[in-house]
Amino acid sequence: MSHTVRKIAPVVLVMVGAVGLSGCATKSFVREQIAPVSARVDTLETRLQETDSTAKAALAQAQSASGQAQAAAGQAQQNGQRLDQLTGRVDSVEQQQMQMQAQQKRGKRARN
């Protein structure tokens, strides 16, 4: 054997061994290996959808509550303004009533 054949022979043997041992994966083998991962992904997708639905429902409820709180705050402000108006009117009526009572007392004293 020549000197170059001795150098090339081990390389050729390694390459033949690598090709022979590597083999190709069949579709069924790949499916078997992927099946557990695929099942986990499906489970996680389902849980993600449930979580997304829950989050959307919570957001809608929070927005509704926020809207109701804003409406209640607006109504409370209107009620406060109305109460201030009525307080002014009651004060005015009380003053008139006091004036009338004072006039009546003066009138009763004059007659006696």
Side-chain angles (χ1 to χ4, degrees):
M1 279 209 229
S2 74
H3 184 59
T4 53
V5 173
R6 285 184 187 176
K7 288 183 179 181
I8 296 177
V11 174
V12 171
L13 281 173
V14 169
M15 289 176 58
V16 169
V19 171
L21 293 175
S22 67
C24 293
T26 63
K27 289 182 181 180
S28 62
F29 175 78
V30 172
R31 286 185 190 132
E32 288 174 14
Q33 297 301 311
I34 296 297
V37 175
S38 180
R40 288 185 65 195
V41 168
D42 291 343
T43 302
L44 291 174
E45 282 181 349
T46 302
R47 288 178 58 192
L48 178 62
Q49 289 173 352
E50 291 171 356
T51 302
D52 187 50
S53 296
T54 302
K56 286 180 180 178
L59 177 62
Q61 188 176 13
Q63 288 174 338
S64 175
S66 175
Q68 290 173 352
Q70 288 176 351
Q75 186 64 41
Q77 185 177 9
Q78 288 177 353
N79 290 345
Q81 291 171 349
R82 182 74 175 137
L83 189 61
D84 289 344
Q85 292 173 353
L86 292 175
T87 300
R89 286 183 179 178
V90 168
D91 290 345
S92 175
V93 169
E94 285 178 344
Q95 287 177 355
Q96 290 175 358
Q97 186 179 18
M98 290 173 74
Q99 288 174 356
M100 290 175 72
Q101 286 176 351
Q103 287 175 357
Q104 286 177 353
K105 285 183 182 179
R106 280 189 240 149
K108 288 183 181 179
R109 289 182 186 169
R111 290 182 190 169
N112 286 340

